[in-house]
């Protein structure tokens, strides 16, 4: 961990996002827990695999329209096998509210976008 308890990208790469997603979905306020615990590590991990905001937004739309189970069943829900390897565990453990999970994916995309646009 870096200064004052801040987590570095390397720290965030070690977070088991699927585990955090599964735990968050079991809480009374899953939306808040997904944003707090999983969005930034997820963004770092998918970006490190070369994922772009538009790809994550597209996946969010697939989830919104077809559901989590449909997206999880796709042979390659992201453009490359490396990106699919990152997101597939999230899709496998996610359950319940498709709109909530799609919104979380939109937040992940927004974080990637913000990180790409920083100086």
């Amino acid at each position: 961990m870096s200064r004052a308890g801040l987590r570095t990208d390397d720290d965030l790469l070690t977070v088991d996002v699927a585990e955090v997603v599964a735990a968050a979905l079991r809480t009374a306020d899953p939306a808040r827990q997904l944003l707090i615990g999983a969005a930034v590590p997820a963004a770092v991990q998918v970006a490190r695999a070369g994922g772009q905001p538009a790809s994550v937004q597209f996946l969010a739309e697939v989830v919104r329209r077809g559901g989590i189970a449909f997206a999880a069943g796709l042979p390659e829900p992201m453009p490359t096998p490396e990106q699919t390897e990152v997101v597939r565990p999230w899709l496998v453990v996610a359950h319940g509210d498709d709109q909530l999970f799609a919104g979380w994916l939109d937040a992940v995309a927004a974080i990637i976008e913000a990180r790409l646009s920083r100086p």
Side-chain angles (χ1 to χ4, degrees), residues 43-56 78-80 82-83 86-87 109 112-113 116:
V44 169
Q45 292 174 20
V46 78
R48 187 67 60 98
Q52 296 295 309
S55 299
V56 180
M78 292 289 286
T80 70
E82 295 81 13
Q83 294 163 23
V86 171
V87 303
I112 296 169
E113 181 71 36
L116 288 173

Side-chain angles (χ1 to χ4, degrees), residues 4-6 18 20-21 24 31-32 41-42 44 47 54-55 58-60 65 67 77-78 91 96 100 106 112:
L6 297 176
V20 177
V21 167
R32 181 174 188 275
V44 169
S55 299
F58 183 80
L59 179 58
R65 292 175 184 264
M78 292 289 286
L91 295 168
L100 172 72
D106 285 333
I112 296 169

Side-chain angles (χ1 to χ4, degrees), residues 20-99:
V20 177
V21 167
L25 293 173
R26 291 190 300 265
T27 67
D29 190 357
R32 181 174 188 275
Q33 293 305 313
L34 282 171
L35 288 174
I36 290 171
V40 173
V44 169
Q45 292 174 20
V46 78
R48 187 67 60 98
Q52 296 295 309
S55 299
V56 180
Q57 289 168 331
F58 183 80
L59 179 58
E61 195 58 30
V62 169
V63 168
R64 200 171 276 113
R65 292 175 184 264
I68 298 167
F70 175 79
L74 293 173
E76 205 162 280
M78 292 289 286
T80 70
E82 295 81 13
Q83 294 163 23
T84 292
E85 185 177 315
V86 171
V87 303
R88 181 157 323 277
W90 312 343
L91 295 168
V92 168
V93 301
H95 57 81
D97 189 334
D98 297 334
Q99 301 307 311

